Amino acid sequence: MKKFLFLLLAASLSLFFAGCTGPGKSDDGKSSLGDNIKIGVLYSTTGPFSISETPMANSAKMAIEEINANGGINGKKIEPIYMDYASDPNLAAQKAQELIMKDGVTAIVGTNSSATRLAVIPTIEQNDSLLIYNTFYEGEKPSNNVLYTNSVPSQQIEAYIPWIIKNLGKKIFFVGSDYEFPKKSIAYAKKIAEENGGEIVGEEYVPITYTDFSSVINKIKEAKPDVVFSGVAGNGAVPFYKQYSQYGLDPKQLPICAIATSEATVKGIGESAIGTYSSFDYFNTIDTPANKEFIEKYEAEFGTDTTVTNQAEGAYHGVYMLATAIAKANSGAAADIIKAASGLKIDTPAGEIKMDETNHHAWLNSYIGKVNSNLTFDIVNKSDGLVKPIVE
């Protein structure tokens, strides 16, 4: 972690800009920064996605505090403006507009679901602003005004499905929440399954607020799969996993393999999650000194009521990626920051990552974890080095 902070500080040129209180144009036409650098932090700490986004908001706050304690960006402190959009995509778009037009932020770190990201992007683009997006997503139609710091299907699913077929069975039942990320990701997973000899025995989608999974579970029983591949997202995963066990399915015998069930969700599920799997670019059980220090700092500041997840770590290194790019660019203009981020490498709690030189996405590790009796993940598979982000 100290090495990580050193790289950030080394990137800072200790230059000062004067005469502005927010992003603006200097006499030479280059976008300048004010006395402080305003950053919007836009996450839901209420609503159906709060189980995922509260740790993200916490981690973003921790990163900002660390950067400020180490001198800020080019000698300037980050001035965070925190907003809760209550898991409502329309409200998120309104909040983004307010952050840009009223508060004059240089960038926004946040949003979570694809529905929310897609609701916010038009506002980001119309105002030539910048979004740092820290959640795994379907990898389609990326925006030139977004830096993506979490996984796409080539990094989360492409190796996961062949591993499932080889180790758990080829008959797969797919279930997901009814919105962009689960549906597009499952379409990708089905394609990979068919290419690797898998057999698709069922496919169901449910509303994000769904709490009664009895009919879905009955369909799973009738289909007799070897594996259930889950894209059930947000707080809805808790009743799905609990009812899965309550209605007679044993995840140790018929495992759930998920793409949206993190440590925070597992904590909410409890023992019904034991024996299930997830695939992410990060688990909080990664055994590195930097990760242990990261977890210790998080728990010292926020306690253990919330749990560090891959999205939380993505928000953490997303803030550092943004800060390092701003320092390198010496500018508050979105185009300058994005250009500076191209090929940028930073250390994270899980090791070094880098931004792709062309597509605004991060090269990341890929892990498969299995939930143990302590409700943490044992890592059962890891990629051989960073995996390239492939987007459409």
Side-chain angles (χ1 to χ4, degrees):
M1 192 67 68
K2 291 179 181 177
K3 178 185 174 185
F4 181 30
L5 293 173
F6 173 79
L7 291 174
L8 174 66
L9 294 173
S12 299
L13 302 179
S14 300
L15 300 175
F16 291 85
F17 296 86
C20 298
T21 57
K25 297 291 182 181
S26 60
D27 291 339
D28 63 2
K30 189 176 182 180
S31 182
S32 61
L33 299 169
D35 296 331
N36 292 325
I37 300 172
K38 293 182 179 180
I39 302 296
V41 181
L42 185 61
Y43 288 115
S44 294
T45 52
T46 58
F49 280 97
S50 60
I51 195 170
S52 301
E53 296 185 57
T54 298
M56 299 175 81
N58 290 344
S59 294
K61 180 176 184 290
M62 190 167 80
I64 290 167
E65 290 172 346
E66 289 176 358
I67 292 166
N68 282 341
N70 283 277
I73 302 172
N74 291 351
K76 300 175 182 294
K77 295 297 179 69
I78 297 175
E79 182 182 336
I81 301 171
Y82 298 96
M83 288 196 176
D84 171 18
Y85 64 91
S87 305
D88 181 344
N90 292 326
L91 183 58
Q94 295 173 28
K95 295 288 188 181
Q97 183 83 6
E98 181 180 342
L99 285 166
I100 295 166
M101 301 303 294
K102 178 184 175 183
D103 299 307
V105 299
T106 296
I108 295 172
V109 176
T111 76
N112 178 34
S113 74
S114 288
T116 301
R117 183 190 74 255
L118 293 172
V120 165
I121 282 177
T123 299
I124 299 293
E125 293 177 339
Q126 289 162 14
N127 291 281
D128 196 22
S129 190
L130 176 61
L131 174 68
I132 312 301
Y133 184 65
N134 310 296
T135 298
F136 45 90
Y137 87 111
E138 63 277 2
E140 296 186 350
K141 300 178 181 178
S143 168
N144 289 330
N145 289 71
V146 181
L147 293 177
Y148 301 83
T149 73
N150 210 312
S151 303
V152 294
S154 67
Q155 299 164 306
Q156 188 180 16
I157 297 174
E158 190 157 325
Y160 195 20
I161 291 292
W163 185 91
I164 289 169
I165 292 170
K166 178 180 178 180
N167 293 278
L168 303 176
K170 68 178 185 178
K171 295 168 64 178
I172 307 173
F173 191 106
F174 293 90
V175 58
S177 300
D178 191 9
Y179 73 96
E180 194 82 2
F181 166 70
K183 295 178 80 170
K184 296 291 186 179
S185 295
I186 285 173
Y188 186 93
K190 287 165 59 182
K191 175 178 175 292
I192 300 298
E194 290 169 347
E195 292 172 352
N196 286 271
E199 181 182 346
I200 300 159
V201 298
E203 183 175 359
E204 290 289 322
Y205 296 95
V206 299
I208 190 63
T209 56
Y210 213 58
T211 58
D212 183 359
F213 287 86
S214 56
S215 63
V216 174
I217 292 168
N218 282 334
K219 290 177 182 178
I220 293 171
K221 289 179 177 180
E222 292 170 3
K224 300 186 185 320
D226 298 316
V227 178
V228 174
F229 186 94
S230 173
V232 177
N235 296 12
V238 175
F240 174 51
Y241 278 59
K242 286 185 174 182
Q243 290 168 30
Y244 192 86
S245 296
Q246 289 169 0
Y247 297 151
L249 294 178
D250 183 355
K252 299 182 190 68
Q253 302 299 320
L254 177 54
I256 298 173
C257 293
I259 52 171
T261 302
S262 67
E263 291 91 341
T265 314
V266 166
K267 187 175 181 179
I269 294 166
E271 64 179 14
S272 295
I274 297 172
T276 65
Y277 298 82
S278 288
S279 172
F280 291 119
D281 75 294
Y282 169 88
F283 289 100
N284 64 25
T285 50
I286 291 172
D287 189 14
T288 66
N291 188 51
K292 290 176 181 177
E293 182 180 347
F294 171 56
I295 299 297
E296 288 172 1
K297 284 184 175 180
Y298 182 97
E299 292 182 349
E301 183 163 355
F302 303 108
T304 57
D305 288 342
T306 58
T307 304
V308 174
T309 65
N310 101 298
Q311 293 152 282
E313 196 277 334
Y316 182 81
H317 75 234
V319 170
Y320 270 104
M321 185 70 76
L322 171 63
T324 308
I326 293 173
K328 181 181 176 183
N330 296 308
S331 169
D336 294 338
I337 298 168
I338 289 170
K339 182 178 179 181
S342 176
L344 197 63
K345 297 179 180 180
I346 63 169
D347 284 337
T348 77
E352 186 180 76
I353 65 170
K354 76 166 187 174
M355 293 300 293
D356 190 81
E357 287 82 356
T358 60
N359 69 17
H360 302 179
H361 290 68
W363 288 61
L364 302 165
N365 287 300
S366 178
Y367 299 90
I368 299 170
K370 182 179 182 180
V371 180
N372 58 37
S373 59
N374 295 320
L375 301 181
T376 59
F377 282 94
D378 294 325
I379 295 170
V380 297
N381 193 66
K382 179 185 181 296
S383 61
D384 183 16
L386 298 179
V387 181
K388 179 179 180 179
I390 299 173
V391 298
E392 298 180 13

